[in-house]
Amino acid sequence: MRSSESARADSLTITRPDDGHVHLRDGTLLAAVLPHTARQFARAIIMPNLQPPVTTTEQALAYRQRILRALPEAAEFEPLMTLYLTDHTPPEEIRHARASGIVHAIKLYPAGATTHSDAGVTELSKCMKTFEAMQEIGLPLLVHGEVTDPSIDLFDREKVFIDQVLHPLRRAFPGLKVVLEHITTQEAAEYVRDAEAAPNALGATITAHHLLYNRNAIFQGGIRPHYYCLPILKREPHRHALVRAATSGNPRFFLGTDSAPHPREAKERARGCAGCYTALHALELYAQAFDAVGALDRLERFASVYGAAFYGLPRNTGAVTLRRGTWTLPDQIPVPAAQTSICPLGAGETIAWRLEHFSVRLHKERVRRQYE
Ligand code: NCD
Ligand code: ZN
């Protein structure tokens, strides 16, 4: 059954989707999480916040090779690399990155805003020549949109960032392609919806967890570190605004999981790390969020069409099928090589959709038969 047939369909077949924002890490953690992302998505924009960060095209090429080597045998998955912007990224690096053909965006972390952002930008004024180069050659800037001023309330940091940083930046560089990442507030959704921008010049990614949960989830019956991410979950009206944006059919809004794995003990401690792990069940979570408002027929565009269009990439050829059917999420995903485990978001809870898993070749065969 194709997605357009019914908003209450029991199965949904969509073009293989892209993840517009994911953390794959490196080494043993990479090996543990990559099969999940590669099963769910055909391509993904890979975050560069390794330690040390991926700041040069050479490092991005090497990281890409490590990802390709860690892929399961039958997987068909393309990592879309990014560079980590610093105070000292030279404009020549931007040209070099573009010429490589494997770097698709530059990531701006305000220094100190989130996990592994210490090497990020301390003042935007240090990056003007670099932004000029990006604007000129059309390499998008991906923005972690939160101010870092400790006197600003944590729950207001995205809104303040839009007013104080993002809007002035976009006025200074009207041709710069910008993605406001993992938006969490009504203000962000409205800004992206209403801002004047050339076609394909402004976008926003939305995570599954920000569509499904509000900030109560972090405190329900005790503090729950696996629901702690940055930008932090907000109040219910903000969640509603994000659901409206994601299901609106506006091509500026597209899928980005921000799946951010951390070893269990790094989250369950006095100063637990920020990041929710959703790569295992991302599409199921998105299906749940879209289904809850009767908008399953909008999922394919959000997941498989608008992100590719923003990046000027062809649409993927295979398909995936989601079926309605309850299953229970594992409590944890063992990572024996690192003597740890990762807790998926919603561990131990049931979920109402299941992604059917068959090889990409079989996907193609099925899709071919479906249209014959
Ligand atoms: C991310 C991580 O762990 O790398 N954490 C998170 O809470 N989202 C960093 C980020 O994207 O902010
Ligand atoms: Zn992220």
Side-chain angles (χ1 to χ4, degrees):
M1 190 179 297
R2 287 300 285 182
S3 55
S4 54
E5 277 185 29
S6 165
R8 284 294 302 169
D10 285 329
S11 85
L12 184 70
T13 295
I14 61 171
T15 304
R16 281 193 87 202
D18 297 313
D19 187 347
H21 177 136
V22 72
H23 301 267
L24 293 181
R25 315 301 191 206
D26 215 342
T28 45
L29 226 45
L30 167 65
V33 303
L34 180 61
H36 297 158
T37 288
R39 175 176 173 270
Q40 296 256 336
F41 298 101
R43 298 174 295 209
I45 297 281
I46 313 297
M47 288 299 116
N49 63 334
L50 303 182
Q51 281 185 311
V54 179
T55 56
T56 67
T57 307
E58 261 51 58
Q59 289 169 337
L61 277 161
Y63 184 30
R64 182 171 178 274
Q65 285 310 316
R66 295 198 296 281
I67 295 169
L68 293 176
R69 274 201 297 274
L71 273 174
E73 190 80 350
E76 280 191 29
F77 174 77
E78 192 186 348
L80 307 170
M81 309 311 291
T82 62
L83 298 189
Y84 186 115
L85 185 69
T86 72
D87 288 349
H88 312 289
T89 306
E92 301 77 61
E93 189 60 54
I94 300 301
R95 295 181 222 287
H96 192 34
R98 167 58 101 204
S100 76
I102 60 114
V103 175
H104 294 265
I106 309 294
K107 176 70 190 248
L108 164 63
Y109 289 103
T114 185
T115 312
H116 304 164
S117 63
D118 304 347
V121 172
T122 59
E123 273 193 48
L124 283 195
S125 59
K126 301 195 167 161
C127 303
M128 293 298 142
K129 291 267 176 274
T130 311
F131 293 143
E132 262 170 40
M134 291 170 62
Q135 173 170 260
E136 190 192 316
I137 62 176
L139 201 56
L141 180 71
L142 311 184
V143 180
H144 183 107
E146 289 190 289
V147 290
T148 54
D149 179 349
S151 71
I152 308 281
D153 190 282
L154 178 71
F155 291 89
D156 295 333
R157 288 184 190 175
E158 182 174 276
K159 171 179 166 334
V160 173
F161 182 92
I162 292 169
D163 297 340
Q164 292 186 354
V165 184
L166 181 65
H167 191 60
L169 175 70
R170 291 192 53 256
R171 285 183 69 151
F173 298 97
L176 182 65
K177 286 182 74 138
V178 172
V179 181
L180 184 55
E181 300 210 278
H182 39 53
I183 59 169
T184 62
T185 56
Q186 180 167 355
E187 288 84 356
E190 288 175 356
Y191 180 80
V192 171
R193 184 192 66 193
D194 298 337
E196 269 184 45
N200 257 352
L202 178 62
T205 54
I206 307 182
T207 77
H209 41 291
H210 289 100
L211 292 176
L212 287 169
Y213 298 101
N214 65 36
R215 65 189 196 175
N216 283 347
I218 313 167
F219 308 104
Q220 204 85 51
I223 194 147
R224 295 182 176 223
H226 298 288
Y227 290 85
Y228 171 56
C229 64
L230 287 171
I232 198 159
L233 295 170
K234 304 296 193 300
R235 287 174 181 273
E236 183 66 358
H238 293 293
R239 188 185 73 79
H240 274 289
L242 299 177
V243 171
R244 278 199 303 276
T247 59
S248 66
N250 181 333
R252 287 185 181 175
F253 299 104
F254 50 90
L255 185 156
T257 63
D258 195 16
S259 177
H262 290 279
R264 181 179 187 152
E265 54 287 354
K267 290 202 54 81
E268 298 177 2
R269 67 180 183 205
R271 287 177 61 169
C273 294
C276 297
Y277 188 64
T278 54
L280 176 73
H281 51 321
L283 287 174
E284 289 93 327
L285 293 174
Y286 281 108
Q288 202 152 297
F290 276 62
D291 192 24
V293 294
L296 279 174
D297 56 336
R298 302 276 168 94
L299 183 60
E300 183 173 40
R301 280 173 272 174
F302 175 76
S304 318
V305 177
Y306 298 150
F310 180 88
Y311 283 100
L313 295 169
R315 231 172 265 180
N316 295 311
T317 48
V320 293
T321 297
L322 284 147
R323 280 196 201 288
R324 206 181 282 280
T326 306
W327 60 291
T328 304
L329 288 164
D331 288 328
Q332 49 186 316
I333 300 150
V335 188
Q339 293 178 318
T340 187
S341 63
I342 297 165
C343 292
L345 188 79
E349 290 174 16
T350 58
I351 184 159
W353 287 87
R354 186 188 271 284
L355 177 67
E356 272 196 357
H357 188 215
F358 34 87
S359 77
V360 176
R361 196 154 296 123
L362 273 174
H363 286 322
K364 286 179 183 158
E365 180 62 14
R366 264 183 181 228
V367 172
R368 193 177 57 74
R369 271 192 272 125
Q370 195 174 340
Y371 291 108
E372 263 173 10

